[in-house]
Amino acid sequence: MRRPLACALLAMVFVEHVSYAQPRVPGRAEAPPPPPVQPQNPLAAQTTELPPPPEVSDPMLTPVPRAALEIGTWEDALKHIRARSTDLHIAIQEVARAEGQSRVALAGVLPTINGTGTYTHNIITNTTAQFSGFGANGVPTTRPVNTPYPNYFTGAIVAVQPFIALRAWNAIGTANVAIDAARQSVEETKRQIALGVANAIVAVVTSERIAELNRIGLRNALQRLDLTSRKQALGGATGIDVVRARQDVEDARATLVAGDETLRQNRENLGLALGIPDQIGVPPTVDINGLERDARSICKPVETVDERPDVATLLTRVRIARRNVNDVWFQFSPSVNLQSQVATTTVDTGAAPNSTWNVQAVLTVPIWDGGARYGNLRDTRAQELQAYERAEAQRRQALIDIDRARRGVGVADDRRRVASAARDLAAENDRLTRVSYQEGRGTSLELVTTAQALRSAEIQLALREFETVNARILAVLALAKCPW
């Protein structure tokens, strides 16, 4: 066996020697030298193009049906809110109640007129002689009458005009302040409704995007399963590779089902925010970045935190509590009423006229009521302190909310940039892993892991993008009032 091997080596050396020792022939073109061998680029795999993915079909790839009713502008949302929002209607009725109480307070300083009428029938009577006048020659005459009168009617009209009524005057001012508080509460309700509707719209758009990404993820998982199955048929993959691909498909299905339900719930939440007990969608053409511009158009910024409707409402309630303390103090003061009464009766006494009319000035001086006023004074003073503490607590919370909202814009934008970079890295990692797997250098575990990481990164980026929009809207509404 050594002799054929040695002969082969000698032949190779001879041929190589002849090729190098062959003289140049004049007039003959030299053969071009062989091209140099290029060193292998370790990053060549990064530029490898993937073949087109196979076509796959699955019933779950069908998107969720669009909602029957969709809103695309703030004007559409405000139209439904004005007509159907229960929170707004409750707040408006609170203003009506405050106006009604103001009219009640005004009645305390206006005259009151009451009329009474009484018909009396006496069952037991006695007959007596009643003087009826003088007869001929100046002789007194009498007539028999029943005492008491068996049947008679009396009527009276009484008018009372408060003249000095400190409590009533204070009540009028308190009622007017209560109207201001109710109107400020309406503005706060509108601000909260605007914030809630904006959040609901952003949530629906976010859920729509995530549902779309979930279907893309399921499609990619189905394509990987198809490729793995084909590779197994050719002997390039094992059964565990196919099982891992199928697990990835089922994980993508579970994520898709949860995302679709979240989309439906967010549509229902938008419907509730608009006062409609149904799913309300957002058209795909809506400009989500325009929500901030629309929020600025319907809600105007205020200069100080004390002008924000919720803080202003509680500060107004402090004024009401202080006036309630004054109301108790006025209970110690006297009051003067002017009264007038017109009365008539069918009883003819012969001495007094049947009809009378009088005018009275009534002075009322409170002396002792068992200590109820002192108890009310302690109660109202405590209520005033409570109202002040509530206003101060809300003011501090509002300051923190404003700072967080303004800071949240930058934080949300930073998180969006980080999520975008993470998504790009996850996409490149997934592409390289697929290339390696198709070339037989990667494992199915790496393929499934990078695919799941890419789906998660896509969802996180979508959440961060819409979170940035939401943060900008919150920054606009954090220090504003909405007079729409």
Side-chain angles (χ1 to χ4, degrees):
M1 295 179 63
R2 292 181 178 179
R3 295 185 65 181
L5 180 60
C7 293
L9 291 174
L10 289 175
M12 293 176 61
V13 172
F14 177 78
V15 172
E16 184 178 3
H17 175 73
V18 171
S19 62
Y20 279 99
Q22 185 176 4
R24 298 178 58 187
V25 179
R28 179 184 297 179
E30 296 184 1
V37 179
Q38 297 294 334
Q40 185 177 2
N41 185 5
L43 300 179
Q46 296 183 2
T47 60
T48 303
E49 295 294 335
L50 291 171
E55 293 294 332
V56 294
S57 61
D58 190 274
M60 297 187 69
L61 294 177
T62 304
V64 178
R66 307 296 305 178
L69 178 61
E70 294 182 339
I71 60 168
T73 63
W74 264 106
E75 292 300 325
D76 295 339
L78 293 180
K79 178 181 65 175
H80 293 292
I81 291 171
R82 292 189 182 100
R84 305 182 64 91
S85 175
T86 55
D87 293 337
L88 179 60
H89 291 171
I90 291 173
I92 293 175
Q93 293 306 314
E94 288 294 331
V95 177
R97 288 187 59 194
E99 292 174 347
Q101 293 299 318
S102 175
R103 188 61 184 84
V104 172
L106 178 62
V109 298
L110 297 179
T112 59
I113 302 175
N114 296 305
T116 60
T118 305
Y119 172 78
T120 305
H121 171 70
N122 290 311
I123 299 175
I124 301 175
T125 61
N126 186 24
T127 303
T128 60
Q130 181 182 9
F131 173 77
S132 61
F134 295 93
N137 302 323
V139 178
T141 60
T142 61
R143 60 187 177 89
V145 295
N146 293 326
T147 305
Y149 285 92
N151 299 287
Y152 64 93
F153 173 83
T154 60
I157 297 178
V158 180
V160 179
Q161 170 62 59
F163 186 69
I164 299 177
L166 301 181
R167 289 191 64 191
W169 298 338
N170 181 74
I172 293 175
T174 303
N176 292 332
V177 177
I179 293 176
D180 295 337
R183 289 173 177 168
Q184 291 166 347
S185 180
V186 171
E187 293 181 356
E188 173 60 16
T189 301
K190 290 181 178 180
R191 189 179 74 91
Q192 293 295 335
I193 290 175
L195 183 58
V197 171
N199 291 337
I201 292 175
V202 173
V204 170
V205 177
T206 304
S207 301
E208 296 273 7
R209 176 58 178 162
I210 292 177
E212 178 184 358
L213 293 175
N214 289 337
R215 279 170 173 77
I216 294 175
L218 176 59
R219 183 181 298 277
N220 293 335
L222 291 171
Q223 292 171 349
R224 281 189 293 271
L225 175 60
D226 184 79
L227 292 174
T228 305
S229 300
R230 294 182 184 181
K231 194 172 183 180
Q232 183 192 25
L234 297 175
T238 63
I240 192 173
D241 296 331
V242 177
V243 171
R244 287 170 177 168
R246 288 178 177 174
Q247 287 179 334
D248 185 36
V249 170
E250 298 307 319
D251 290 340
R253 291 185 190 277
T255 303
L256 187 145
V257 171
D260 288 351
E261 178 59 22
T262 301
L263 170 59
R264 298 186 188 96
Q265 292 181 1
N266 287 333
R267 286 178 177 176
E268 291 170 347
N269 293 336
L270 177 58
L272 291 177
L274 298 176
I276 302 175
D278 198 358
Q279 294 186 23
I280 303 299
V282 178
T285 57
V286 68
D287 182 13
I288 192 66
N289 293 319
L291 289 177
E292 178 186 359
R293 180 180 64 256
D294 294 339
R296 293 182 182 276
S297 64
I298 65 173
C299 296
K300 307 302 180 182
V302 295
E303 296 181 357
T304 63
V305 67
D306 291 342
E307 298 180 35
R308 205 174 84 160
D310 57 340
V311 179
T313 300
L314 292 180
L315 291 176
T316 304
R317 296 194 184 281
V318 174
R319 294 170 54 196
I320 294 175
R322 187 176 301 116
R323 297 186 68 91
N324 290 336
V325 175
N326 296 335
D327 179 74
V328 177
W329 279 117
F330 290 143
Q331 294 180 18
F332 291 88
S333 62
S335 61
V336 176
N337 293 334
L338 299 179
Q339 297 183 184
S340 180
Q341 176 175 322
V342 177
T344 186
T345 180
T346 59
V347 177
D348 185 8
T349 62
N354 291 68
S355 299
T356 60
W357 183 15
N358 61 58
V359 178
Q360 297 175 335
V362 180
L363 172 65
T364 303
V365 180
I367 298 176
W368 175 248
D369 61 354
R373 287 172 294 182
Y374 295 97
N376 291 334
L377 185 60
R378 295 179 60 183
D379 182 22
T380 52
R381 282 176 173 173
Q383 292 181 20
E384 180 186 8
L385 293 177
Q386 287 178 339
Y388 174 79
E389 295 298 334
R390 292 190 185 98
E392 181 61 24
Q394 186 63 30
R395 186 177 185 275
R396 296 172 184 175
Q397 184 63 47
L399 290 173
I400 295 297
D401 292 342
I402 293 170
D403 290 340
R404 286 179 179 175
R406 292 172 176 173
R407 188 175 65 247
V409 176
V411 173
D413 192 58
D414 291 339
R415 297 178 68 179
R416 180 192 57 80
R417 286 196 297 266
V418 172
S420 178
R423 190 277 313 272
D424 294 341
L425 292 174
E428 181 64 14
N429 189 20
D430 178 71
R431 190 186 69 83
L432 294 176
T433 302
R434 284 184 290 160
V435 171
S436 299
Y437 184 72
Q438 291 182 2
E439 294 177 353
R441 294 183 287 109
T443 65
S444 60
L445 179 60
E446 294 174 346
L447 185 68
V448 172
T449 301
T450 55
Q452 293 175 348
L454 177 59
R455 288 200 300 266
S456 177
E458 291 281 1
I459 292 175
Q460 289 298 319
L461 177 59
L463 291 174
R464 297 298 173 258
E465 288 176 346
F466 296 112
E467 184 182 84
T468 303
V469 177
N470 202 16
R472 292 175 179 172
I473 297 174
L474 180 60
V476 171
L477 300 179
L479 189 61
K481 59 182 179 180
C482 304
W484 44 268

